[in-house]
Amino acid sequence: MSWKVADIPDQKGRVALVTGANSGLGLETAKALLNKGARVIMACRSRPKGEAVRQIILESNDSTKLDLIELDLADLASVRRAAEQVERQYSRVDLLINNAGVMATPQTLSKQGLELQFAVNHLGHMALTLKLLPLLAKQHGARVVTVTSGAQYMGRIAWEDLQGIKHYDRWAAYSQSKLANVMFALELDKRVRNAASGIASLLAHPGLARTNLQPKSVAANKSWQEGLAYRLMDPMFQSAAMGSLPQLHAATAPTAQGGEQYGPRFNFRGYPKLCRIAPLALREEDRQRLWSISEKLLEI
């Protein structure tokens, strides 16, 4: 049986925060949760772009439950401000969907001087999650869904050159950040279980989905070869709506459990199913090591 948006349980009374909700997977996720009755907080890097998309959504859904906050995951000060705003404005958060990301960027540094992909995809979301844990813990059945990708299976943590200072390869850095997503989510699930907080931490990956990540990567790197590769692979890609199903399933399906990962049935495309976790993320000692290093970096 194929799990679809129609299978999402009623979300009335619940509050969901979705990072990167103005495009791609995040947009589809925000729309689906809103249509099921949730109050959705769109957390977007650009307020004008986020507001423009918010107005487009409201043209077909006159809900009063679609909010917008500014969140730049490449700036830990922005993450702190966004979390503080959520704490002030909302009495609850039931779902945190760490969806936003960057992919295969040229060597670039975050506001705090950290490698951009590691900073945005992993550290920014870790900082946001940890700051919102007390709010999440107030709700029975709260979930954190961290969105990774199939690149996790190719990822390696460059322990001696985590920021790519000695050698930078944009795809290796991307894969490292996606493996870090998995390691963080699994370690988080262990910790919230031990604390008996009632929070579940899950993972999702979209397979090959058409989003703005591909054209942005091509434009940023001025790579005609990459552009050609995407055109040749296009028949293998599924829509952003289909790509969003694994994270929606992880966030809402009653059967989904903490520590699980959902992805397309055939790993590249298809309806969501429970899927294999990257073996390197199963090493508890490495997860604890990454957590410790990440905590130190977040104190910058």
Side-chain angles (χ1 to χ4, degrees):
M1 185 174 177
S2 300
W3 192 92
K4 305 179 182 67
V5 166
D7 297 310
I8 298 174
D10 184 10
Q11 298 295 302
K12 287 187 179 68
R14 308 192 84 196
V15 176
L17 190 156
V18 183
T19 69
N22 60 296
S23 66
L25 306 176
L27 173 58
E28 297 297 334
T29 298
K31 290 193 297 185
L33 293 174
L34 184 70
N35 289 338
K36 287 292 182 174
R39 175 172 292 280
V40 176
I41 308 167
M42 300 172 63
C44 306
R45 184 174 62 86
S46 167
R47 178 174 287 277
K49 289 181 180 179
E51 183 58 35
V53 172
R54 177 176 172 274
Q55 292 303 322
I56 291 172
I57 296 173
L58 293 177
E59 287 176 4
S60 57
N61 187 324
D62 61 359
S63 173
T64 60
K65 299 178 181 178
L66 185 60
D67 303 333
L68 174 69
I69 64 170
E70 189 173 334
L71 169 67
D72 183 356
L73 290 161
D75 181 0
L76 294 176
S78 173
V79 175
R80 183 182 66 253
R81 288 193 299 270
E84 290 171 351
Q85 181 180 348
V86 172
E87 290 168 344
R88 285 194 308 270
Q89 292 185 206
Y90 302 91
S91 60
R92 62 188 294 164
V93 172
D94 301 83
L95 302 175
L96 171 59
I97 303 181
N98 292 324
N99 162 85
V102 292
M103 182 179 76
T105 59
Q107 190 167 19
T108 311
L109 299 182
S110 72
K111 184 77 171 180
Q112 283 71 38
L114 302 169
E115 191 277 310
L116 186 67
Q117 297 186 82
F118 191 79
V120 170
N121 297 349
H122 168 55
L123 289 175
H125 279 126
M126 179 174 179
L128 180 67
T129 302
L130 295 183
K131 289 180 183 300
L132 293 181
L133 280 183
L135 205 52
L136 287 157
K138 291 181 180 180
Q139 304 308 319
H140 176 72
R143 297 185 189 183
V144 177
V145 179
T146 300
V147 181
T148 179
S149 85
Q152 64 179 279
Y153 304 114
M154 299 171 282
R156 297 289 185 275
I157 303 297
W159 298 108
E160 305 306 319
D161 189 23
L162 203 57
Q163 304 304 323
I165 296 170
K166 298 175 185 175
H167 173 71
Y168 181 77
D169 178 284
R170 60 193 178 96
W171 285 107
Y174 176 68
S175 298
Q176 172 181 256
S177 73
K178 294 287 102 180
L179 176 60
N181 285 155
V182 183
M183 295 168 74
F184 164 69
L186 294 181
E187 184 63 18
L188 175 65
D189 192 65
K190 186 195 77 173
R191 293 181 182 227
V192 293
R193 282 176 187 269
N194 290 344
S197 68
I199 301 169
S201 171
L202 300 93
L203 286 150
H205 83 81
L208 292 177
R210 293 185 192 91
T211 70
N212 63 351
L213 284 181
Q214 295 93 17
K216 279 189 174 181
S217 176
V218 172
N221 293 285
K222 297 180 174 59
S223 173
W224 67 266
Q225 297 97 331
E226 188 175 329
L228 176 61
Y230 284 133
R231 287 196 293 275
L232 292 174
M233 293 171 63
D234 187 68
M236 298 174 62
F237 279 70
Q238 60 184 357
S239 67
M242 281 295 294
S244 71
L245 289 181
Q247 59 204 61
L248 285 164
H249 186 280
T252 67
T255 55
Q257 302 292 317
E260 294 179 340
Q261 176 172 230
Y262 290 88
R265 180 175 297 165
F266 303 109
N267 219 31
F268 294 111
R269 56 186 294 129
Y271 290 96
K273 70 170 183 62
L274 193 65
C275 70
R276 182 175 67 96
I277 289 170
L280 290 181
L282 300 175
R283 299 178 181 177
E284 187 172 357
E285 190 174 306
D286 284 351
R287 295 202 308 267
Q288 292 172 351
R289 182 181 180 186
L290 179 64
W291 188 285
S292 179
I293 291 171
S294 299
E295 281 187 321
K296 290 183 174 68
L297 291 171
L298 291 177
E299 293 174 358
I300 291 176

